[in-house]
Amino acid sequence: MKKTIKFKMIAIFVLIFIVLAANSIWSIYNFNNLNHSIEEIMESNYASVVAAQNMIVALERQDSAELSHMFDDNKNSQNVFLENEKVFLKWLARAEDNITEKGEEEVIKVINDLYTGYIEDYYNLIEIQNTKGIEESRNYYYNKILPTFEKSKKEVRNLQLLNQNSMIEQRNEAQKIAKNASYSTSIISLITILLGVILVFYLVNKIVKPIRNLIDKIKKIAEGDYTQQLDVTGDDEISELSKEFNIMSEKLKKYDLLSIRRLMKEKQKSESIVESISDGIIVTDEDNKIILVNNAAEKALNIKETKVINRHFLEGINKEEIFNIIKNIKNKSNLSDTKKYTDITIENDEEIKHYNVNVKPIRNKDGENIGMVTLMQDITKLKEVDQMKSDFVSTVSHEFRTPLTSIGMSVGLLLEGITGEITEDQKELLDAIKEDNERLKSLVSDLLDLSRLESGKIQMDIDSYDINNIINHSVKPFYRQAEEKNTTINIDIKENTSKVKADFNKISWVLTNLIGNALRYTPEDGTGKIEIKVKDTANKVLVSVADNGKGIPEDHQKKIFEKFIQVKDVNGENTGGTGLGLAISKEIVNAHGGDIWVESNIGEGTIFYFTLYIGGK
């Protein structure tokens, strides 16, 4: 019958519940007996023991009061004696109300008589001291009062001991009850355990064993072995489950064959697409093992996919700079804090190639990182064209410097009137020539600096500096301009920020350029704000310069570090400058081994970031 298993399980549980209920009832019965014994101890003897203890304390305090009165002439001692007399009598009355043991009444009567005499002796002591002097009162105390005090104390202790002995006898009786209860409860519990063990074995053989067999078969199916079948015996729920399992296994076997063919087609299609891409592609898993390399990446890195597949990146591809990029992106929870791409140079067979490396994480539907895709775009020709352009600009700049200097000197001589008087119109024209000449000289100077930086000819005087000093040095010239423009400049640097490895003047130039740009684009309505922040990262110091200006359009953000790129203001006009400041800043930061990038949203402002290596604390 289909209800067989259900009936068996219900019957087993009912039997277990009955045994447990019987054991619980028996335990409750024994616990009630034990509790009754304890309550008897507390009601009959505990109160008398407490009363005896408090009477002893009161007696000792009265004796101390007598001694204080005789030897120290303490005026407050009589009050202490009288207060403790009340205490003694209170606890004596409680002991009289709680007579429960044989001989207890006689002891309390003796205590009462002795204490009455003790009080009379005390008043005699006071009278003797007042009439005959201290010496007589001391003799009276030692000969009369002290013996009475000792006897009273002894009788109170006898009262205490009488009740304590009774408590011990009743405790022994309670222990016997508890022991008998423990034995009987243990026997019932042992019977329950044995019955439970027998039932468990029964369940394992009749119910659990087939289920375990089913679990083993399911695990093998999960591993891809769809040939698993179960033996069908009986006519209960497990038998029906076995039939359905066998049907499922047959269907999965057929579906698996269809899925394998479909997956193979999709895999071949994906591999063909990847292989057809002209840029190099490397795919790694969550453990940085290589799982795919296309033809372009094989040629670029001089490797074979068959030799590097399923190996760690650095084992198959000995390019630590690429692996560091992958590791950096992988460890970043917020990719906005990281550069979008990195340029690298690879030299193979005496041929130098330049690549733009872009790394993207592969995430599952839960957002977990399950791998990385590395794209290597060949930019060698672009680099060569850029180098030719840089060489041309450098040559032209050198050629411009001499004539511009001559023009500047000639205009200066004309303006000074050395060649003769000049009219106002002539002066206006000469001033315009001088202004344009200065702008050209600044442009030429920037071009020459950029050319030297790109060629590596500018010497970097790198040392360990406090970034706070560099920032303060860079910001100082702008405070007056910021005040005129109603703009605030805030610097946020923690006290324990690490020092940086930097060329003080070059990094000051970078900060000056970024702060100048920020000041140029902040609003002039009094809400302008520039924030400079510094924080430590893993092995670098991150510096940011933020403003609350109009922001930079996204299409401009990718180009502003190129030469001669200027961001226009809200009116669509250039705000001045040569368009080389950010390009020079990028070259300076890169020469320090750092990175520089920008984040901006229209209407919210702009943040420029750059990093420098840590140079100590």
Side-chain angles (χ1 to χ4, degrees):
M1 296 296 292
K2 292 185 178 180
K3 300 297 182 180
T4 302
I5 294 176
K6 181 179 180 181
F7 176 78
K8 290 178 181 178
M9 294 186 70
I10 291 174
I12 289 169
F13 283 120
V14 167
L15 181 59
I16 291 174
F17 286 147
I18 291 173
V19 175
L20 288 175
N23 192 23
S24 299
I25 292 170
W26 178 248
S27 298
I28 291 170
Y29 172 76
N30 287 313
F31 284 139
N32 285 334
N33 285 340
L34 184 61
N35 185 54
H36 180 69
S37 298
I38 294 172
E39 287 179 355
E40 285 183 351
I41 294 173
M42 296 295 293
E43 289 176 1
S44 61
N45 301 110
Y46 181 74
S48 296
V49 170
V50 172
Q53 289 175 340
N54 284 298
M55 283 190 286
I56 290 172
V57 172
L59 271 174
E60 289 176 343
R61 289 178 178 173
Q62 284 182 302
D63 184 62
S64 298
E66 288 176 323
L67 292 172
S68 176
H69 180 78
M70 287 189 301
F71 292 98
D72 297 335
D73 196 19
N74 190 339
K75 303 301 182 182
N76 191 42
S77 60
Q78 189 170 2
N79 293 332
V80 173
F81 186 91
L82 295 175
E83 287 175 3
N84 281 280
E85 180 182 357
K86 295 177 183 178
V87 172
F88 185 92
L89 293 174
K90 180 184 75 172
W91 288 107
L92 179 61
R94 291 191 182 182
E96 289 173 343
D97 294 337
N98 193 46
I99 297 173
T100 57
E101 302 299 329
K102 184 178 180 181
E104 188 174 0
E105 184 177 0
E106 290 78 5
V107 173
I108 291 176
K109 186 176 183 306
V110 172
I111 293 172
N112 198 356
D113 294 340
L114 287 172
Y115 190 71
T116 302
Y118 180 71
I119 297 299
E120 292 176 358
D121 290 342
Y122 170 74
Y123 286 109
N124 291 335
L125 175 71
I126 298 298
E127 184 178 352
I128 291 171
Q129 185 172 350
N130 291 334
T131 57
K132 298 182 180 181
I134 293 176
E135 189 64 31
E136 286 296 326
S137 66
R138 288 177 181 175
N139 290 332
Y140 184 79
Y141 171 80
Y142 287 115
N143 295 324
K144 181 67 175 175
I145 293 179
L146 184 59
T148 305
F149 166 75
E150 294 293 343
K151 290 179 182 179
S152 300
K153 191 174 177 181
K154 181 179 178 181
E155 291 300 324
V156 173
R157 290 194 187 280
N158 289 337
L159 175 65
Q160 180 181 358
L161 186 60
L162 179 66
N163 282 276
Q164 285 178 339
N165 290 335
S166 178
M167 289 176 71
I168 292 172
E169 291 175 359
Q170 293 184 57
R171 183 201 66 184
N172 294 335
E173 188 65 27
Q175 285 179 342
K176 290 180 181 178
I177 295 173
K179 189 175 182 180
N180 293 332
S182 299
Y183 285 147
S184 58
T185 305
S186 299
I187 291 170
I188 296 175
S189 299
L190 183 61
I191 294 172
T192 305
I193 292 171
L194 290 173
L195 181 61
V197 170
I198 293 170
L199 294 176
V200 166
F201 276 106
Y202 176 80
L203 284 173
V204 169
N205 291 325
K206 296 295 183 178
I207 301 173
V208 179
K209 188 175 180 180
I211 293 176
R212 285 181 177 173
N213 188 28
L214 176 62
I215 291 171
D216 293 337
K217 298 287 185 180
I218 291 174
K219 286 182 179 179
K220 290 180 180 179
I221 283 185
E223 293 170 356
D225 184 2
Y226 301 119
T227 62
Q228 300 298 314
Q229 293 287 303
L230 288 170
D231 295 330
V232 180
T233 56
D235 192 26
D236 55 15
E237 295 93 338
I238 293 180
S239 299
E240 185 177 347
L241 179 62
S242 299
K243 293 176 184 178
E244 295 298 327
F245 175 85
N246 293 339
I247 295 171
M248 178 195 70
S249 178
E250 288 295 331
K251 289 183 177 180
L252 284 174
K253 189 190 299 182
K254 295 176 182 178
Y255 180 77
D256 182 55
L257 292 173
L258 294 173
S259 297
I260 288 174
R261 295 191 187 101
R262 191 179 298 116
L263 287 172
M264 288 301 294
K265 288 181 181 179
E266 293 297 327
K267 183 175 182 292
Q268 290 170 358
K269 187 189 297 184
S270 300
E271 289 178 347
S272 299
I273 293 171
V274 171
E275 292 297 339
S276 66
I277 297 174
S278 58
D279 295 329
I281 295 177
I282 306 169
V283 181
T284 52
D285 63 14
E286 63 271 21
D287 297 322
N288 297 315
K289 290 183 178 180
I290 302 169
I291 57 177
L292 187 146
V293 178
N294 70 347
N295 288 332
E298 286 181 320
K299 293 177 182 179
L301 300 169
N302 194 22
I303 59 173
K304 291 293 182 182
E305 184 182 26
T306 55
K307 293 184 178 181
V308 301
I309 206 76
N310 292 326
R311 298 177 66 187
H312 189 275
F313 187 95
L314 290 178
E315 292 179 0
I317 303 173
N318 189 20
K319 297 295 178 185
E320 192 169 349
E321 53 186 337
I322 300 178
F323 179 70
N324 288 337
I325 299 169
I326 295 172
K327 186 169 64 174
N328 186 40
I329 298 294
K330 184 178 180 179
N331 293 335
K332 288 286 185 180
S333 58
N334 183 6
L335 294 181
S336 61
D337 293 341
T338 311
K339 275 184 38 172
K340 305 300 180 185
Y341 59 85
T342 305
D343 293 344
I344 66 168
T345 301
I346 297 177
E347 185 174 353
N348 286 325
D349 300 328
E350 298 181 355
E351 182 183 18
I352 298 177
K353 290 281 189 178
H354 302 279
Y355 294 92
N356 180 292
V357 178
N358 194 351
V359 179
K360 293 288 185 181
I362 306 171
R363 302 190 188 279
N364 60 18
K365 62 180 181 180
D366 297 324
E368 296 175 347
N369 192 335
I370 59 174
M372 307 293 288
V373 176
T374 303
L375 181 67
M376 298 176 60
Q377 185 179 11
D378 191 345
I379 57 170
T380 304
K381 291 184 179 180
L382 294 176
K383 283 284 187 180
E384 290 174 352
V385 171
D386 190 60
Q387 184 61 43
M388 291 172 61
K389 182 173 65 175
S390 298
D391 293 342
F392 173 76
V393 169
S394 177
T395 302
V396 172
S397 299
H398 275 289
E399 294 301 324
F400 276 2
R401 174 170 278 186
T402 300
L404 286 174
T405 302
S406 299
I407 291 171
M409 291 177 61
S410 299
V411 171
L413 292 173
L414 289 172
L415 286 171
E416 290 175 4
I418 294 176
T419 58
E421 293 292 331
I422 58 174
T423 65
E424 287 298 322
D425 292 338
Q426 292 171 335
K427 184 176 183 302
E428 186 176 344
L429 291 172
L430 289 171
D431 285 337
I433 293 171
K434 182 178 180 182
E435 184 178 343
D436 289 339
N437 181 71
E438 291 296 329
R439 187 179 294 109
L440 282 172
K441 285 175 67 177
S442 176
L443 175 61
V444 168
S445 178
D446 286 347
L447 285 170
L448 288 173
D449 286 343
L450 183 60
S451 177
R452 293 191 192 100
L453 284 166
E454 290 178 336
S455 63
K457 293 180 179 179
I458 286 187
Q459 184 69 30
M460 291 289 175
D461 185 16
I462 294 179
D463 202 346
S464 179
Y465 291 101
D466 187 343
I467 189 66
N468 190 36
N469 294 337
I470 300 177
I471 291 174
N472 288 329
H473 175 77
S474 305
V475 173
K476 190 175 181 181
F478 292 99
Y479 282 122
R480 186 177 183 84
Q481 298 178 41
E483 185 178 352
E484 293 174 354
K485 200 176 178 181
N486 294 324
T487 297
T488 59
I489 300 178
N490 297 323
I491 301 174
D492 182 8
I493 304 177
K494 295 181 179 179
E495 293 183 359
N496 58 347
T497 301
S498 303
K499 292 184 178 180
V500 295
K501 293 179 180 179
D503 183 317
F504 189 97
N505 293 326
K506 298 295 187 301
I507 297 302
S508 295
W509 192 96
V510 172
L511 281 165
T512 298
N513 182 70
L514 295 178
I515 297 167
N517 288 343
L519 189 61
R520 190 179 298 125
Y521 292 103
T522 52
E524 300 184 14
D525 58 359
T527 61
K529 183 172 65 174
I530 298 173
E531 287 189 293
I532 304 169
K533 295 183 178 180
V534 177
K535 70 174 183 177
D536 286 351
T537 60
N539 62 340
K540 291 184 180 181
V541 173
L542 177 67
V543 183
S544 64
V545 179
D547 64 62
N548 62 337
K550 295 295 182 180
I552 302 172
E554 188 174 353
D555 56 335
H556 279 72
Q557 294 178 28
K558 300 177 181 179
K559 301 185 293 183
I560 57 175
F561 292 104
E562 298 175 11
K563 296 184 280 289
F564 304 110
I565 298 297
Q566 292 179 310
V567 179
K568 296 181 179 181
D569 61 14
V570 291
N571 299 319
E573 299 179 355
N574 291 333
T575 56
T578 62
L580 294 173
L582 291 177
I584 294 173
S585 298
K586 179 181 178 182
E587 293 296 332
I588 291 175
V589 172
N590 290 344
H592 282 73
D595 299 311
I596 185 168
W597 66 96
V598 65
E599 292 179 7
S600 183
N601 293 312
I602 297 298
E604 296 181 8
T606 302
I607 306 176
F608 280 91
Y609 296 93
F610 68 89
T611 59
L612 297 170
Y613 277 107
I614 291 175
K617 285 285 186 180

